[in-house]
């Protein structure tokens, strides 16, 4: 019989209880059609009231995870059978998936159901979201995004600089197409978000890697490549580097901006990866709004399936970027933008932001048990970078882990051109659907490293 462990969980007891069951169900620790423990027995074993157990079971029922059967008890739903008829989300691979960087789904489903209810009561809004949309966006939506960004980024953003997109990846593809031509050079960090590399390769742009250290990209190397290649764009992830988690230091930010200004290079500031509130810094777009294209997205902060993101562009590029968006997809679905704006104004987004910070904190505490983290300039985000001791290499080690049922990404997947891959792997702490699964994955990785480096 599954008895939840409530230690380390904060908030109301019934929610902690429901969360613990939900994790076990999501990770298949409790299988479909399993009968849940009778409420009285569970209340006795956990030392909580029967009322608390009833509320927890009601919460699980509301989340669609369990169903009561009259006269027989409460059972875990067979969601696979439900999904097979209609829905096909990314299914978990066999084993433990520490490769995919997915959003942490906490109370989002609750917010979705509430907001759809609101929308169903508002005929005017329904009409608006069913119509074509101007590339400039609906006035109220842009205003909502502007207000939220002004607070979040701590700088004034002119409404006219905002462009809605279908997420970070879409923004990146539009920028590359709008501002460069085939064969032109784009500078990138030596280890780089792989889908940006694919976008550039598919459209035959040339990528040149810039060296970086624990402070960000190295100014001397940037200067050298600016002189040599005369690029129009530099692609950076200064808040949380993908894959290493390094955060570009303040002094480096200023140096990079100074060099780019001198060489007429525009900066793509990709701020899609989740950054905990305690580590958020002034973004480049606040320091150099005239040369920075800021890429934001709600994928990691709320839900990846929404496909909603936004760009903050220099005013001088507004027309060019809007034209590129129209050529690409006409406009973003106003329905999706409407949902996001409602969550931005009704407090849901802030609520989820806090929930993510708490859950991620708990997952980092687990990580620290197996891989104590030391560096100051590394952000405790969704991903963690694990350097490997000699003689291990990222590629071989990740193959080995795969044989053990653990999926990770090796450094080689992120290298650009001839940039030398360090011996390291990237693990995503949000890939596993439960903390238990994460713990097992970390245990296996630790064991496999120690096994290969003993004596
Ligand atoms: C650095 C970076 N940029 C952009 C994206 C794409 O984000 P979205 O899901 O909003 O398209 C990702 C996705 O993982 C990412 O890691």
């Amino acid at each position: 019989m599954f008895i939840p462990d409530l230690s380390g969980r904060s908030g109301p007891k019934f929610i902690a209880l429901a969360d613990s069951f939900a994790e076990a169900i999501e990770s298949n620790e409790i299988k479909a059609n399993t009968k849940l423990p009778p409420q009285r027995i569970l209340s006795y074993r956990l030392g909580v009231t029967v009322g608390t157990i009833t509320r927890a079971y009601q919460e699980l029922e509301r989340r669609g995870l369990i169903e009561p059967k009259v006269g027989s008890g409460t059972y875990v739903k067979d969601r696979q059978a439900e999904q097979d008829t209609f829905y096909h989300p990314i299914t978990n691979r066999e084993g433990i998936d520490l490769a995919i960087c997915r959003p942490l789904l906490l109370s989002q489903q609750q917010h979705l159901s509430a907001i759809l209810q609101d929308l169903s009561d508002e005929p005017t809004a329904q009409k608006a979201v069913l119509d074509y949309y101007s590339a400039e966006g609906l006035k109220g939506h842009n205003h909502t995004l502007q207000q939220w960004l002004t607070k979040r980024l701590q700088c004034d953003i002119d409404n006219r600089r905002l462009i809605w997109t279908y997420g970070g990846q879409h923004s990146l593809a539009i920028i590359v197409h709008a501002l460069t031509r085939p064969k032109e050079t784009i500078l990138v960090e030596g280890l780089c978000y792989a889908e940006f590399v694919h976008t550039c390769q598919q459209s035959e742009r040339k990528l040149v890697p810039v060296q970086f250290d624990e402070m960000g990209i190295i100014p001397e190397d940037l200067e050298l490549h600016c002189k040599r290649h005369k690029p129009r764009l530099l692609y950076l992830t200064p808040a949380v580097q993908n894959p290493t988690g390094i955060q570009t230091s303040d002094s480096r930010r200023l140096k990079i901006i100074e060099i780019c200004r001198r060489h007429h290079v525009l900066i793509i500031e990709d701020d899609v990866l989740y950054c905990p509130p305690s580590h958020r810094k002034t973004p480049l777009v606040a320091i150099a709004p005239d040369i920075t294209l800021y890429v934001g997205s709600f994928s990691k902060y709320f839900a990846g399936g929404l496909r909603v993101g936004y760009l903050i562009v220099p005013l001088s590029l507004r027309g060019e970027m809007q034209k590129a968006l129209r050529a690409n997809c006409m406009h973003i679905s106003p329905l999706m933008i409407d949902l996001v704006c409602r969550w931005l104004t009704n407090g849901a987004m802030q609520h989820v932001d806090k929930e993510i910070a708490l859950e991620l904190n708990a997952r980092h505490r687990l990580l620290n048990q197996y891989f104590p983290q030391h560096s100051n300039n590394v952000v405790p985000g969704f991903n963690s970078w694990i350097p490997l001791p000699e003689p291990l290499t990222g590629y071989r080690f990740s193959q080995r882990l795969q044989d053990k049922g653990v999926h990770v990404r090796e450094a080689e997947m992120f290298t650009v051109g001839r940039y030398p891959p360090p011996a390291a792997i990237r693990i995503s702490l949000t890939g596993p659907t439960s903390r238990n699964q994460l713990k097992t994955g970390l245990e296996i990785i630790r064991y496999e490293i120690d096994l290969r480096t003993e004596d």
Side-chain angles (χ1 to χ4, degrees), residues 101 166-172 193 195 235 237 240-242 270-273 295-300 304 307-309 383 426:
C101 175
Y166 279 122
Q169 184 63 29
H170 187 216
S171 299
L172 294 172
Y193 164 52
E195 291 303 335
Y235 169 74
T237 46
V240 188
Q241 210 274 332
N242 193 0
D270 180 335
D271 198 8
V272 168
L273 280 187
V295 175
S297 164
F298 295 101
S299 292
K300 314 289 185 204
R307 311 310 304 143
V308 177
N383 300 320
R426 191 197 81 173

Side-chain angles (χ1 to χ4, degrees), residues 390-454:
E390 280 188 0
L392 298 177
T393 67
Y395 177 73
R396 277 216 226 108
F397 189 59
S398 93
Q399 296 286 310
R400 172 81 202 154
L401 287 176
Q402 205 161 317
D403 293 341
K404 300 278 163 196
V406 178
H407 307 280
V408 300
R409 298 235 152 108
E410 63 270 19
E412 287 84 341
M413 289 185 87
F414 302 93
T415 52
V416 180
R418 298 219 181 100
Y419 200 79
I425 53 170
R426 191 197 81 173
I427 59 172
S428 163
L429 303 187
T430 65
T433 43
S434 75
R435 290 185 205 169
N436 262 351
Q437 221 187 37
L438 172 64
K439 188 165 184 282
T440 310
L442 293 170
E443 244 163 38
I444 294 172
I445 299 173
R446 182 75 266 173
Y447 175 79
E448 290 295 324
I449 290 179
D450 293 344
L451 192 69
R452 269 153 195 82
T453 50
E454 263 163 16

